[in-house]
Structures are given as structure tokens and as C-alpha cells.
Amino acid sequence: MVHFALNPPIGSVLRPQDKLLIVANGAYGKRMAEIATYYKINHLLVSLNETEIIDPIQVKNLLNENKDITHFSMVHCETTTGILNPLKEISDVVKNYPVTFIVDAMSSFGGIPIDIKDLGIDFLISSSNKCIQGVLRFGFVIALKDKLKECKGIARSLSLDLYDQWITMEEGNGKWRFTSPTHVVIAFFQALKELEEEGGIESRYLRYKENNKLLIEGMKSLGFKPLLPMNVQSPIITSFLYPFSNFSFIDFYNQLKSKGYVIYPGKISMADTFRMGNIGNIYPKDIENLIESIKNS
Ligand SMILES: *Cc1c(COP(=O)(O)O)cnc(C)c1O
């Protein structure tokens, strides 16, 4: 549970007169709308099919049709299915409108190169425990300073006041606003060192891509089909369809668990799927071993 980090860029950024457009193709996109609902923030949620990427033309049409939109938010890698939304193409559209751009890059930041400045992202949300490979319980926001400065006094929550967190750190030489999560920050620092040692985000991206390619090829060779076409598949997590109708996910899960591998159930209603993630301290050899284990089970 780190999605509390999604609260500040919504609840500390949008004023009562603002309106948020959320285009969602999965549970995490919809969660941003839930957050807006809790905060009673004006929003328009456009929900797509979970196997469909967010289309930049559709975003353009929505922004043209809804002149009252002041903020736009989306998920980069929708972990619900593993679909990767075309951030660059969408940002090329969003840049032409006077809207604040909020991106949930929780499951992609650190594992997929994202040029935040070039993409014109105003608030990017991520966490310590996914592609950064740190420990859980740490969410962070990378914000454009000028936008952040405009957020004074907007927050609807004392604890999740993004502006106040930032200004306290600025003025206190990095001092945390409330008791600091010392252990988690040290683990995060270590994780960043390891990311650097690996050769940075670009190298990690290549490793994840290789892991993912081997995973999909290996699973295909065993008769499993990925839910998504390769051109929209992220290198982070993959949904596979049940290979036959009375396939038992529980049995499959338990068998793999007994061999030291943990997978995820599916998260969509339109098809029977399960998910396999390939981020973390995982290398191509581990994927080969995994495929071998499934073959022999
Ligand atoms: C993991 C994740 C989150 C945070 O989810 P929690 O259940 O709070 O850990 C948010 N958005 C995306 C896209 C994620 O992958």
C-alpha cells in the first residue's frame, strides 16, 4: 500500500474551481478518480477497455470538448494488465493545452526512461518499492517547482500536504515534516546506489526488457498466451490468459510458490488471466529457471 502518494498530487494541487480529467484503462487509473471523489474534487473519468491504450487523439478531443479541464492525469504503466500507455505521444497533445499534467509512474519510474522535463510532466508519482527496488512504504512526488509553489494552502489533508512537506524540507535542510522514516530512506538511498551501479535507468530498462522477452517467449513455448499484443506490453508485468477453461490458478500458484516463485492473480473481468512480474533483483537466468520449473511441474 503506497498509493497514499497519489493523494497529494490531487488533493494538494486542485483548487475547488479546478477540474481533473482522468483517462483510465485499469484499476489504478480509476483509483485516481476515487481519490478525487473522496476529496469532492470536480473530475471527469473516461474509462477505457482494459486492453486498449490511451489514445492521444482521444485525449485531444476530450481536452477540446471540455474547456473547463485544468488538470489531466493518467497512469503510465497500468499494472492492472501490464499495458504501457504512450506517454510521449500523449504529452505531445497535453503540452498544447493550459493543463497541469499528473502522471502515476508508480510501476515504471526507475525501470523505463522518462524524460520528465521534456514530456512536460508537472507532477510524477512513484514509490520506493517497484522499479527503484527499495523497500516498501515510501511514496514520492517529483514536481515542477513553479507548480508546487502555487499549491500553498490547497491541501485537504494535513498529513498529505505536498506544499508543506516540500517547504519544510527546503527550509530545514532536508528535515522531514514529521518523524522521518529513517530505515526506509536509508534503504532507498542504497537502492539508488545499486541503480547507479547497474548503469542507471537505461541499463535496468534493458534488463527488464530482456527478462520480459524471455518470460513471454518461454510461457508461449509452454502454451500460455499473453493477454496483450507486444506493441502495448510493458517490460514490467505481463498478463497471461488461462490456457484452458478449467485451469486452476490456485493449483498453479501453489505449485510455483513451493518452488520459490510468487505470481499474481488477474485483475480484470473480461478474461481469465494471471500476472507475472519481472522487476526487482531478477535476471534472465532466473526467468530461464522459472520456465524450466513450470515445464517440469
Ligand atoms: C503499485 C501501484 C500503485 C500503488 O498501489 P498500492 O496497492 O497502494 O501499493 C499505484 N499505481 C500503480 C500504477 C501501481 O502499479
Side-chain angles (χ1 to χ4, degrees), residues 226-243:
L227 170 73
L228 300 170
M230 281 311 286
N231 62 334
V232 301
Q233 171 63 51
S234 72
I236 308 291
I237 188 166
T238 308
S239 293
F240 292 98
L241 295 161
Y242 284 10

Side-chain angles (χ1 to χ4, degrees), residues 1-4 6 28 31 75 77 79 104 106-107 130:
M1 205 284 287
V2 287
H3 70 258
F4 55 78
L6 287 168
Y28 291 101
R31 196 177 282 182
V75 176
C77 170
T79 324
D104 172 355
M106 200 75 85
S107 63
K130 292 199 175 162

Side-chain angles (χ1 to χ4, degrees), residues 5-233:
L6 287 168
N7 285 265
I10 298 175
S12 294
V13 173
L14 278 98
R15 293 166 191 276
Q17 65 270 27
D18 292 337
K19 187 169 177 182
L20 175 65
L21 168 66
I22 305 153
V23 183
N25 52 352
Y28 291 101
K30 286 186 192 154
R31 196 177 282 182
M32 295 206 260
E34 284 177 60
I35 292 169
T37 302
Y38 265 80
Y39 285 137
K40 301 187 171 54
I41 287 171
N42 298 323
H43 63 280
L44 171 63
L45 168 66
V46 178
S47 248
L48 311 177
N49 188 315
E50 287 155 324
T51 54
E52 209 182 312
I53 52 164
I54 300 174
D55 177 358
I57 310 254
Q58 188 182 10
V59 173
K60 186 175 174 181
N61 292 339
L62 283 164
L63 290 173
N64 283 339
E65 289 157 13
N66 298 278
K67 293 290 181 206
D68 54 344
I69 295 295
T70 53
H71 294 67
F72 169 66
S73 72
M74 60 173 279
V75 176
H76 183 207
C77 170
E78 240 308 346
T79 324
T80 307
T81 54
I83 200 165
L84 190 65
N85 285 311
L87 193 53
K88 171 84 180 93
E89 289 76 4
I90 297 168
S91 90
D92 284 342
V93 167
V94 177
K95 270 179 193 169
N96 299 314
Y97 295 82
V99 298
T100 297
F101 191 16
I102 302 168
V103 178
D104 172 355
M106 200 75 85
S107 63
S108 56
F109 185 74
I112 300 177
I114 302 173
D115 189 334
I116 299 175
K117 197 169 176 191
D118 182 61
L119 296 171
I121 298 171
D122 298 302
F123 296 93
L124 179 139
I125 306 123
S126 194
S127 82
S128 57
N129 61 299
K130 292 199 175 162
C131 301
I132 300 285
Q133 299 186 182
V135 302
L136 188 64
R137 294 279 176 243
F138 187 104
F140 60 88
V141 177
I142 298 177
L144 191 69
K145 247 187 209 170
D146 287 344
K147 290 271 179 171
L148 194 53
K149 284 179 187 162
E150 292 168 11
C151 297
K152 188 175 180 180
I154 298 181
R156 290 156 177 85
S157 153
L158 170 71
S159 321
L160 300 172
D161 186 335
L162 191 63
Y163 175 86
D164 213 53
Q165 175 69 69
W166 170 69
I167 202 74
T168 306
M169 279 189 160
E170 284 294 297
E171 291 173 354
N173 272 319
K175 188 193 172 318
W176 289 65
R177 193 160 149 252
F178 301 131
T179 310
S180 51
T182 329
H183 309 58
V184 186
V185 174
I186 289 174
F188 186 71
F189 186 57
Q190 177 62 29
L192 289 179
K193 275 203 251 178
E194 290 174 16
L195 175 58
E196 201 169 26
E197 279 159 19
E198 183 170 358
I201 292 174
E202 191 65 44
S203 302
R204 183 161 290 177
Y205 172 60
L206 294 177
R207 173 165 63 88
Y208 286 173
K209 267 213 310 202
E210 183 63 14
N211 283 349
N212 190 254
K213 181 171 155 269
L214 291 174
L215 176 69
I216 292 175
E217 279 171 3
M219 290 297 281
K220 276 185 175 168
S221 77
L222 301 176
F224 293 91
K225 288 195 185 71
L227 170 73
L228 300 170
M230 281 311 286
N231 62 334
V232 301
Q233 171 63 51

Side-chain angles (χ1 to χ4, degrees), residues 225-276:
K225 288 195 185 71
L227 170 73
L228 300 170
M230 281 311 286
N231 62 334
V232 301
Q233 171 63 51
S234 72
I236 308 291
I237 188 166
T238 308
S239 293
F240 292 98
L241 295 161
Y242 284 10
F244 42 85
S245 60
N246 57 346
F247 173 78
S248 168
F249 170 74
I250 293 293
D251 290 348
F252 186 62
Y253 175 89
N254 285 331
Q255 252 173 19
L256 283 180
K257 194 170 177 186
S258 71
K259 293 177 177 178
Y261 301 99
V262 172
I263 63 171
Y264 300 88
K267 216 178 175 175
I268 60 170
S269 48
M270 59 187 280
D272 284 327
T273 56
F274 60 87
R275 293 173 296 162
M276 296 173 103

